[in-house]
Amino acid sequence: MRIVKDLKKLRFLLDEARRQGKTIGFVPTMGYVHEGHLGLARLAKKEMALSVVSIYVNPAQFGPKEDFKRYPRDFKRDSSLLKKENVDILFVPSDNDVYPQGYLTYIDVEEISQGLCGAFRPGHFRGVATVVAKLLNLLGPCTMYLGAKDAQQVAVLKVLVKDLNFPVKVRVMPTVREPDGLAMSSRNVHLSAIGRREAQTLYIALKAAKKAILRGERSSATIIRMIKSIIGSQTNGKIQYIACVDVNTLKALKRLKGHILIALAVFFDKTRLIDNISVRIHESN
Ligand code: AMP
């Protein structure tokens, strides 16, 4: 695995790979690597001739009161885990290369960035869209690999790719979970022992909601009440939002139909966790 920090070096290596007709798979991450990231890297490695993973904790996607400084970082551990997967290139850009002095250009993917997490993290998806657009321009991958855990990010980036004609395919992988169901996340390391135990309830509540829908429940309000009551009765978590939306448009649904995403964000102390589950309703009414 080559660790590349320099933009010119990166361009040289990727231009060379393209000249040789190699396909390039790209996995953008913020590091503190876990099995969710490694699954994406493994798939990129399997499907493409050249796999590139980036690690960049993007300041533009954190609000002024958010956890940019506290975000976990461990480059040594990350690079050794990625090396074990035989990732070809680990790209680690510097702040100065991503946002050099005088940087002025940002990308807003409208509407779809506004609800769910976007409603509580103003500017977050603007930061995500901007950095991913830059990385796509720098790397020119054939396929970008994303995780379903960040469902709104997936929806926003699919629109970005379509609207700005990036010649890249987006592949989405299912959420990788701990044995008790907690979605893997770099932020899980910040959970207290009690928070960690309670956090498994998020997926338990999402699964119960999915079951209720598959049994015929069609009221979004009832589903949201149900999840609230499970989390409220079994944890000290502070719910930020619970929503039932259309999987592609992220528009809120009152009556559940089609392909639905149930998404939530809950704080355990200072640690904000997100999770989601999707449900497909097969019926004509
Ligand atoms: P992050 O480092 O948290 O920005 O995540 C980098 C990529 O890994 C994103 O596409 C995430 O959706 C994906 N990812 C993060 N956690 C998981 C997980 N538990 N399962 C699958 N993909 C994940």
Side-chain angles (χ1 to χ4, degrees):
M1 182 178 78
R2 293 183 85 131
I3 298 172
V4 180
K5 297 186 176 171
D6 182 66
L7 294 191
K8 273 199 198 124
K9 180 88 191 163
L10 179 81
R11 252 200 216 288
F12 174 81
L13 288 171
L14 295 183
D15 283 349
E16 186 59 30
R18 265 184 295 270
R19 249 196 309 278
Q20 293 170 8
K22 286 186 176 168
T23 51
I24 299 169
F26 171 45
V27 182
T29 85
M30 297 207 298
Y32 212 72
V33 166
H34 52 68
E35 220 15 74
H37 300 122
L38 294 176
L40 297 173
R42 240 169 254 143
L43 195 68
K45 178 80 199 164
K46 188 171 139 211
E47 294 186 344
M48 300 282 127
L50 191 93
S51 54
V52 185
V53 174
S54 67
I55 295 183
Y56 182 60
V57 185
N58 173 31
Q61 70 189 67
F62 289 80
K65 289 189 182 144
E66 292 184 348
D67 58 348
F68 175 67
K69 282 208 177 116
R70 213 168 80 98
Y71 197 84
R73 294 160 169 92
D74 188 343
F75 181 70
K76 247 184 156 176
R77 181 175 157 275
D78 286 355
S79 56
S80 98
L81 287 170
L82 292 165
K83 195 171 167 196
K84 274 193 205 128
E85 299 298 337
N86 292 317
V87 165
D88 295 297
I89 296 179
L90 172 55
F91 177 46
V92 195
S94 68
D95 282 337
N96 206 32
D97 277 337
V98 181
Y99 301 111
Q101 198 158 32
Y103 189 85
L104 293 173
T105 307
Y106 292 87
I107 298 176
D108 255 317
V109 182
E110 297 181 357
E111 266 181 51
I112 204 158
S113 298
Q114 298 304 314
L116 305 178
C117 293
F120 299 93
R121 305 188 68 188
H124 170 68
F125 289 110
R126 180 181 192 248
V128 170
T130 301
V131 82
V132 170
K134 284 183 66 96
L135 290 166
L136 290 175
N137 279 333
L138 282 166
L139 289 136
C142 309
T143 304
M144 171 165 66
Y145 295 83
L146 301 174
K149 189 199 144 234
D150 298 271
Q152 189 171 16
Q153 176 165 285
V154 168
V156 168
L157 294 179
K158 278 184 172 171
V159 174
L160 170 87
V161 162
K162 181 165 160 274
D163 286 357
L164 295 186
N165 306 95
F166 281 103
V168 65
K169 210 172 113 191
V170 176
R171 285 268 273 140
V172 183
M173 296 314 295
T175 302
V176 178
R177 298 180 180 280
E178 300 286 356
D180 68 356
L182 174 65
M184 289 197 180
S185 162
S186 306
R187 288 186 170 101
N188 291 350
V189 70
H190 289 315
L191 292 168
S192 67
I194 294 172
R196 172 63 192 82
R197 216 174 313 124
E198 291 183 352
Q200 65 176 302
T201 307
L202 302 185
Y203 191 49
I204 291 170
L206 287 169
K207 279 193 298 186
K210 178 166 180 168
K211 206 164 160 189
I213 295 169
L214 293 175
R215 284 204 182 127
E217 182 55 61
R218 293 294 178 265
S219 157
S220 164
T222 304
I223 292 298
I224 291 170
R225 248 194 325 270
M226 178 181 173
I227 297 174
K228 224 180 230 171
S229 132
I230 296 173
I231 295 173
S233 63
Q234 296 181 27
T235 80
N236 292 301
K238 300 264 176 301
I239 296 169
Q240 187 175 60
Y241 73 80
I242 302 167
C244 297
V245 300
D246 178 89
V247 116
N248 293 308
T249 64
L250 304 190
K251 291 230 161 77
L253 298 166
K254 268 194 180 155
R255 194 179 152 69
L256 303 174
K257 64 172 176 11
H259 196 182
I260 304 156
L261 180 80
I262 311 170
L264 51 74
V266 178
F267 277 95
F268 290 90
D269 297 318
K270 278 190 191 161
T271 307
R272 181 179 179 276
L273 300 183
I274 59 170
D275 202 351
N276 67 77
I277 202 165
S278 67
V279 192
R280 214 183 268 273
I281 298 177
H282 297 282
E283 61 184 15
S284 48
N285 59 332

